[in-house]
Amino acid sequence: MSVSPSASVSPATPSQAPTQADLLDFVRRTAADAELIASLPLDPEGRTWVRLEGPGGSEAWLIGWPPASGTGWHDHAESVGAFLTAAGELKEHSLAARLPSDGWKTLELEEGVDRERRLPTGKGRAFGQHHVHEVLNESSEEHAISVHAYYPPLPQIRRYSRTGPVLRLEQVERPADWQ
């Protein structure tokens, strides 16, 4: 189930593009809005989301994660971003390696590039362009809720499959696929 009404959290009027730090500040402030967080409808089987008005023309989302759900491996192309857990706990697996942005279908990853981060309520992170990761709610009983922001607004999301050290580009999604 997805929910797509717009919710305004903060005016988006800065004269320059938001930085990773600006996006992280926005997701922190937004996650602290208990009324907004409580207003997100939660589905026991699928992720839910509401688009928010992010700072400086950024794209922002409030996302509900049912137990045992995740994104799969993906990146946000040329966008920088930030996300923060507003309720529950999320886990992020990421790659500490810069991958080629185009022109490949399969890569063999080097040893030592895997990173794992637990993000309990109130914890988040910012990331740069071409950040490849997966985000998971590993709880078997509790929903998690998070706030995400990206700038520029997502031009595409590349989805990957992973078997051991092999990363394969599976699909490229455009905004029309998720909005």
Side-chain angles (χ1 to χ4, degrees), residues 52-78:
L52 306 172
E53 186 177 331
S58 63
E59 180 173 340
W61 298 89
L62 179 62
I63 300 176
W65 305 75
S69 64
T71 60
W73 287 94
H74 67 283
D75 73 16
H76 305 98
E78 291 78 34

PDB file of all heavy atoms in Angstrom, residues 52-78:
ATOM      1  N   LEU A  52       7.011  14.470   0.985  1.00  0.00           N
ATOM      2  CA  LEU A  52       7.101  15.696   1.772  1.00  0.00           C
ATOM      3  C   LEU A  52       7.756  16.789   0.939  1.00  0.00           C
ATOM      4  O   LEU A  52       8.446  16.507  -0.038  1.00  0.00           O
ATOM      5  CB  LEU A  52       7.950  15.458   3.021  1.00  0.00           C
ATOM      6  CG  LEU A  52       7.548  14.297   3.926  1.00  0.00           C
ATOM      7  CD1 LEU A  52       8.597  14.085   5.009  1.00  0.00           C
ATOM      8  CD2 LEU A  52       6.185  14.538   4.523  1.00  0.00           C
ATOM      9  N   GLU A  53       7.582  18.000   1.358  1.00  0.00           N
ATOM     10  CA  GLU A  53       8.271  19.126   0.728  1.00  0.00           C
ATOM     11  C   GLU A  53       9.621  19.296   1.416  1.00  0.00           C
ATOM     12  O   GLU A  53       9.701  19.652   2.581  1.00  0.00           O
ATOM     13  CB  GLU A  53       7.431  20.393   0.878  1.00  0.00           C
ATOM     14  CG  GLU A  53       7.998  21.565   0.132  1.00  0.00           C
ATOM     15  CD  GLU A  53       7.103  22.785   0.245  1.00  0.00           C
ATOM     16  OE1 GLU A  53       5.880  22.634   0.390  1.00  0.00           O
ATOM     17  OE2 GLU A  53       7.658  23.893   0.193  1.00  0.00           O
ATOM     18  N   GLY A  54      10.682  19.016   0.695  1.00  0.00           N
ATOM     19  CA  GLY A  54      12.025  19.110   1.257  1.00  0.00           C
ATOM     20  C   GLY A  54      12.608  20.495   1.064  1.00  0.00           C
ATOM     21  O   GLY A  54      12.059  21.325   0.336  1.00  0.00           O
ATOM     22  N   PRO A  55      13.741  20.761   1.678  1.00  0.00           N
ATOM     23  CA  PRO A  55      14.367  22.081   1.579  1.00  0.00           C
ATOM     24  C   PRO A  55      14.966  22.324   0.189  1.00  0.00           C
ATOM     25  O   PRO A  55      15.508  21.410  -0.434  1.00  0.00           O
ATOM     26  CB  PRO A  55      15.459  22.036   2.648  1.00  0.00           C
ATOM     27  CG  PRO A  55      15.807  20.591   2.765  1.00  0.00           C
ATOM     28  CD  PRO A  55      14.523  19.846   2.513  1.00  0.00           C
ATOM     29  N   GLY A  56      14.881  23.538  -0.280  1.00  0.00           N
ATOM     30  CA  GLY A  56      15.562  23.958  -1.500  1.00  0.00           C
ATOM     31  C   GLY A  56      15.218  23.164  -2.734  1.00  0.00           C
ATOM     32  O   GLY A  56      16.062  22.947  -3.584  1.00  0.00           O
ATOM     33  N   GLY A  57      13.990  22.679  -2.835  1.00  0.00           N
ATOM     34  CA  GLY A  57      13.585  21.916  -4.005  1.00  0.00           C
ATOM     35  C   GLY A  57      13.989  20.453  -3.948  1.00  0.00           C
ATOM     36  O   GLY A  57      13.913  19.745  -4.953  1.00  0.00           O
ATOM     37  N   SER A  58      14.404  19.977  -2.794  1.00  0.00           N
ATOM     38  CA  SER A  58      14.770  18.568  -2.665  1.00  0.00           C
ATOM     39  C   SER A  58      13.519  17.695  -2.629  1.00  0.00           C
ATOM     40  O   SER A  58      12.412  18.161  -2.389  1.00  0.00           O
ATOM     41  CB  SER A  58      15.608  18.336  -1.404  1.00  0.00           C
ATOM     42  OG  SER A  58      14.866  18.636  -0.244  1.00  0.00           O
ATOM     43  N   GLU A  59      13.724  16.420  -2.871  1.00  0.00           N
ATOM     44  CA  GLU A  59      12.660  15.424  -2.798  1.00  0.00           C
ATOM     45  C   GLU A  59      12.752  14.772  -1.426  1.00  0.00           C
ATOM     46  O   GLU A  59      13.838  14.368  -0.995  1.00  0.00           O
ATOM     47  CB  GLU A  59      12.887  14.398  -3.901  1.00  0.00           C
ATOM     48  CG  GLU A  59      11.869  13.310  -3.961  1.00  0.00           C
ATOM     49  CD  GLU A  59      12.059  12.430  -5.195  1.00  0.00           C
ATOM     50  OE1 GLU A  59      12.714  12.858  -6.169  1.00  0.00           O
ATOM     51  OE2 GLU A  59      11.547  11.319  -5.170  1.00  0.00           O
ATOM     52  N   ALA A  60      11.634  14.650  -0.740  1.00  0.00           N
ATOM     53  CA  ALA A  60      11.644  14.073   0.607  1.00  0.00           C
ATOM     54  C   ALA A  60      10.474  13.112   0.766  1.00  0.00           C
ATOM     55  O   ALA A  60       9.421  13.291   0.152  1.00  0.00           O
ATOM     56  CB  ALA A  60      11.580  15.182   1.663  1.00  0.00           C
ATOM     57  N   TRP A  61      10.688  12.113   1.612  1.00  0.00           N
ATOM     58  CA  TRP A  61       9.692  11.063   1.827  1.00  0.00           C
ATOM     59  C   TRP A  61       9.645  10.654   3.297  1.00  0.00           C
ATOM     60  O   TRP A  61      10.684  10.559   3.951  1.00  0.00           O
ATOM     61  CB  TRP A  61      10.035   9.822   1.009  1.00  0.00           C
ATOM     62  CG  TRP A  61      10.047  10.053  -0.461  1.00  0.00           C
ATOM     63  CD1 TRP A  61      11.123  10.454  -1.222  1.00  0.00           C
ATOM     64  CD2 TRP A  61       8.954   9.935  -1.356  1.00  0.00           C
ATOM     65  NE1 TRP A  61      10.737  10.574  -2.533  1.00  0.00           N
ATOM     66  CE2 TRP A  61       9.418  10.257  -2.652  1.00  0.00           C
ATOM     67  CE3 TRP A  61       7.618   9.575  -1.194  1.00  0.00           C
ATOM     68  CZ2 TRP A  61       8.598  10.233  -3.768  1.00  0.00           C
ATOM     69  CZ3 TRP A  61       6.805   9.549  -2.314  1.00  0.00           C
ATOM     70  CH2 TRP A  61       7.289   9.871  -3.580  1.00  0.00           C
ATOM     71  N   LEU A  62       8.458  10.366   3.779  1.00  0.00           N
ATOM     72  CA  LEU A  62       8.226   9.711   5.055  1.00  0.00           C
ATOM     73  C   LEU A  62       7.855   8.274   4.691  1.00  0.00           C
ATOM     74  O   LEU A  62       6.913   8.063   3.912  1.00  0.00           O
ATOM     75  CB  LEU A  62       7.086  10.406   5.804  1.00  0.00           C
ATOM     76  CG  LEU A  62       6.670   9.841   7.153  1.00  0.00           C
ATOM     77  CD1 LEU A  62       7.826   9.929   8.147  1.00  0.00           C
ATOM     78  CD2 LEU A  62       5.448  10.592   7.673  1.00  0.00           C
ATOM     79  N   ILE A  63       8.600   7.290   5.204  1.00  0.00           N
ATOM     80  CA  ILE A  63       8.420   5.898   4.784  1.00  0.00           C
ATOM     81  C   ILE A  63       8.158   5.016   5.991  1.00  0.00           C
ATOM     82  O   ILE A  63       8.866   5.088   6.996  1.00  0.00           O
ATOM     83  CB  ILE A  63       9.664   5.390   4.020  1.00  0.00           C
ATOM     84  CG1 ILE A  63       9.896   6.257   2.781  1.00  0.00           C
ATOM     85  CG2 ILE A  63       9.497   3.913   3.639  1.00  0.00           C
ATOM     86  CD1 ILE A  63      11.157   5.905   2.000  1.00  0.00           C
ATOM     87  N   GLY A  64       7.135   4.160   5.877  1.00  0.00           N
ATOM     88  CA  GLY A  64       6.821   3.150   6.882  1.00  0.00           C
ATOM     89  C   GLY A  64       7.303   1.790   6.417  1.00  0.00           C
ATOM     90  O   GLY A  64       7.085   1.400   5.265  1.00  0.00           O
ATOM     91  N   TRP A  65       7.971   1.083   7.302  1.00  0.00           N
ATOM     92  CA  TRP A  65       8.586  -0.215   7.005  1.00  0.00           C
ATOM     93  C   TRP A  65       7.930  -1.296   7.852  1.00  0.00           C
ATOM     94  O   TRP A  65       8.127  -1.320   9.061  1.00  0.00           O
ATOM     95  CB  TRP A  65      10.063  -0.181   7.367  1.00  0.00           C
ATOM     96  CG  TRP A  65      10.862   0.907   6.741  1.00  0.00           C
ATOM     97  CD1 TRP A  65      10.866   2.230   7.079  1.00  0.00           C
ATOM     98  CD2 TRP A  65      11.773   0.765   5.668  1.00  0.00           C
ATOM     99  NE1 TRP A  65      11.737   2.913   6.293  1.00  0.00           N
ATOM    100  CE2 TRP A  65      12.311   2.034   5.401  1.00  0.00           C
ATOM    101  CE3 TRP A  65      12.203  -0.316   4.905  1.00  0.00           C
ATOM    102  CZ2 TRP A  65      13.252   2.249   4.412  1.00  0.00           C
ATOM    103  CZ3 TRP A  65      13.144  -0.109   3.922  1.00  0.00           C
ATOM    104  CH2 TRP A  65      13.653   1.166   3.682  1.00  0.00           C
ATOM    105  N   PRO A  66       7.180  -2.216   7.254  1.00  0.00           N
ATOM    106  CA  PRO A  66       6.636  -3.304   8.069  1.00  0.00           C
ATOM    107  C   PRO A  66       7.759  -4.228   8.532  1.00  0.00           C
ATOM    108  O   PRO A  66       8.876  -4.178   7.999  1.00  0.00           O
ATOM    109  CB  PRO A  66       5.684  -4.030   7.117  1.00  0.00           C
ATOM    110  CG  PRO A  66       6.131  -3.673   5.755  1.00  0.00           C
ATOM    111  CD  PRO A  66       6.789  -2.316   5.857  1.00  0.00           C
ATOM    112  N   PRO A  67       7.481  -5.083   9.513  1.00  0.00           N
ATOM    113  CA  PRO A  67       8.503  -6.028   9.958  1.00  0.00           C
ATOM    114  C   PRO A  67       9.050  -6.844   8.778  1.00  0.00           C
ATOM    115  O   PRO A  67       8.325  -7.182   7.840  1.00  0.00           O
ATOM    116  CB  PRO A  67       7.744  -6.927  10.942  1.00  0.00           C
ATOM    117  CG  PRO A  67       6.634  -6.054  11.451  1.00  0.00           C
ATOM    118  CD  PRO A  67       6.239  -5.203  10.276  1.00  0.00           C
ATOM    119  N   ALA A  68      10.348  -7.120   8.847  1.00  0.00           N
ATOM    120  CA  ALA A  68      11.042  -7.970   7.869  1.00  0.00           C
ATOM    121  C   ALA A  68      10.937  -7.442   6.437  1.00  0.00           C
ATOM    122  O   ALA A  68      10.766  -8.195   5.499  1.00  0.00           O
ATOM    123  CB  ALA A  68      10.528  -9.407   7.956  1.00  0.00           C
ATOM    124  N   SER A  69      11.070  -6.134   6.257  1.00  0.00           N
ATOM    125  CA  SER A  69      11.022  -5.550   4.916  1.00  0.00           C
ATOM    126  C   SER A  69      12.330  -4.837   4.603  1.00  0.00           C
ATOM    127  O   SER A  69      13.116  -4.537   5.487  1.00  0.00           O
ATOM    128  CB  SER A  69       9.845  -4.574   4.793  1.00  0.00           C
ATOM    129  OG  SER A  69      10.012  -3.471   5.659  1.00  0.00           O
ATOM    130  N   GLY A  70      12.540  -4.580   3.325  1.00  0.00           N
ATOM    131  CA  GLY A  70      13.752  -3.887   2.922  1.00  0.00           C
ATOM    132  C   GLY A  70      13.647  -3.386   1.495  1.00  0.00           C
ATOM    133  O   GLY A  70      12.693  -3.667   0.780  1.00  0.00           O
ATOM    134  N   THR A  71      14.663  -2.646   1.100  1.00  0.00           N
ATOM    135  CA  THR A  71      14.674  -2.020  -0.218  1.00  0.00           C
ATOM    136  C   THR A  71      15.329  -2.869  -1.290  1.00  0.00           C
ATOM    137  O   THR A  71      15.100  -2.652  -2.470  1.00  0.00           O
ATOM    138  CB  THR A  71      15.457  -0.698  -0.181  1.00  0.00           C
ATOM    139  OG1 THR A  71      16.804  -0.976   0.224  1.00  0.00           O
ATOM    140  CG2 THR A  71      14.808   0.310   0.733  1.00  0.00           C
ATOM    141  N   GLY A  72      16.205  -3.771  -0.915  1.00  0.00           N
ATOM    142  CA  GLY A  72      17.094  -4.388  -1.884  1.00  0.00           C
ATOM    143  C   GLY A  72      18.217  -3.408  -2.200  1.00  0.00           C
ATOM    144  O   GLY A  72      18.155  -2.222  -1.845  1.00  0.00           O
ATOM    145  N   TRP A  73      19.261  -3.884  -2.864  1.00  0.00           N
ATOM    146  CA  TRP A  73      20.405  -3.041  -3.202  1.00  0.00           C
ATOM    147  C   TRP A  73      20.004  -2.037  -4.269  1.00  0.00           C
ATOM    148  O   TRP A  73      19.344  -2.395  -5.254  1.00  0.00           O
ATOM    149  CB  TRP A  73      21.572  -3.905  -3.710  1.00  0.00           C
ATOM    150  CG  TRP A  73      22.237  -4.665  -2.608  1.00  0.00           C
ATOM    151  CD1 TRP A  73      21.960  -5.943  -2.207  1.00  0.00           C
ATOM    152  CD2 TRP A  73      23.274  -4.205  -1.759  1.00  0.00           C
ATOM    153  NE1 TRP A  73      22.762  -6.290  -1.154  1.00  0.00           N
ATOM    154  CE2 TRP A  73      23.593  -5.244  -0.861  1.00  0.00           C
ATOM    155  CE3 TRP A  73      23.982  -3.000  -1.667  1.00  0.00           C
ATOM    156  CZ2 TRP A  73      24.573  -5.125   0.105  1.00  0.00           C
ATOM    157  CZ3 TRP A  73      24.964  -2.891  -0.699  1.00  0.00           C
ATOM    158  CH2 TRP A  73      25.256  -3.939   0.176  1.00  0.00           C
ATOM    159  N   HIS A  74      20.394  -0.771  -4.075  1.00  0.00           N
ATOM    160  CA  HIS A  74      20.051   0.287  -5.025  1.00  0.00           C
ATOM    161  C   HIS A  74      20.968   1.486  -4.819  1.00  0.00           C
ATOM    162  O   HIS A  74      21.697   1.554  -3.838  1.00  0.00           O
ATOM    163  CB  HIS A  74      18.587   0.709  -4.863  1.00  0.00           C
ATOM    164  CG  HIS A  74      18.305   1.393  -3.566  1.00  0.00           C
ATOM    165  ND1 HIS A  74      18.173   0.711  -2.373  1.00  0.00           N
ATOM    166  CD2 HIS A  74      18.150   2.704  -3.261  1.00  0.00           C
ATOM    167  CE1 HIS A  74      17.937   1.572  -1.396  1.00  0.00           C
ATOM    168  NE2 HIS A  74      17.930   2.796  -1.902  1.00  0.00           N
ATOM    169  N   ASP A  75      20.909   2.434  -5.749  1.00  0.00           N
ATOM    170  CA  ASP A  75      21.555   3.727  -5.557  1.00  0.00           C
ATOM    171  C   ASP A  75      20.595   4.819  -5.999  1.00  0.00           C
ATOM    172  O   ASP A  75      19.496   4.532  -6.467  1.00  0.00           O
ATOM    173  CB  ASP A  75      22.922   3.817  -6.255  1.00  0.00           C
ATOM    174  CG  ASP A  75      22.846   3.925  -7.765  1.00  0.00           C
ATOM    175  OD1 ASP A  75      21.769   4.227  -8.326  1.00  0.00           O
ATOM    176  OD2 ASP A  75      23.885   3.714  -8.406  1.00  0.00           O
ATOM    177  N   HIS A  76      21.006   6.060  -5.797  1.00  0.00           N
ATOM    178  CA  HIS A  76      20.166   7.218  -6.116  1.00  0.00           C
ATOM    179  C   HIS A  76      20.807   8.080  -7.199  1.00  0.00           C
ATOM    180  O   HIS A  76      20.608   9.295  -7.230  1.00  0.00           O
ATOM    181  CB  HIS A  76      19.904   8.040  -4.844  1.00  0.00           C
ATOM    182  CG  HIS A  76      19.324   7.220  -3.742  1.00  0.00           C
ATOM    183  ND1 HIS A  76      20.107   6.698  -2.725  1.00  0.00           N
ATOM    184  CD2 HIS A  76      18.075   6.777  -3.509  1.00  0.00           C
ATOM    185  CE1 HIS A  76      19.340   5.990  -1.908  1.00  0.00           C
ATOM    186  NE2 HIS A  76      18.111   6.011  -2.366  1.00  0.00           N
ATOM    187  N   ALA A  77      21.601   7.447  -8.050  1.00  0.00           N
ATOM    188  CA  ALA A  77      22.236   8.106  -9.191  1.00  0.00           C
ATOM    189  C   ALA A  77      23.033   9.324  -8.727  1.00  0.00           C
ATOM    190  O   ALA A  77      23.811   9.231  -7.787  1.00  0.00           O
ATOM    191  CB  ALA A  77      21.211   8.444 -10.254  1.00  0.00           C
ATOM    192  N   GLU A  78      22.805  10.471  -9.361  1.00  0.00           N
ATOM    193  CA  GLU A  78      23.594  11.678  -9.079  1.00  0.00           C
ATOM    194  C   GLU A  78      23.112  12.471  -7.868  1.00  0.00           C
ATOM    195  O   GLU A  78      23.673  13.511  -7.547  1.00  0.00           O
ATOM    196  CB  GLU A  78      23.605  12.594 -10.303  1.00  0.00           C
ATOM    197  CG  GLU A  78      24.396  12.037 -11.479  1.00  0.00           C
ATOM    198  CD  GLU A  78      23.640  10.969 -12.268  1.00  0.00           C
ATOM    199  OE1 GLU A  78      22.402  11.061 -12.379  1.00  0.00           O
ATOM    200  OE2 GLU A  78      24.280  10.027 -12.748  1.00  0.00           O
TER     201      GLU A  78
END
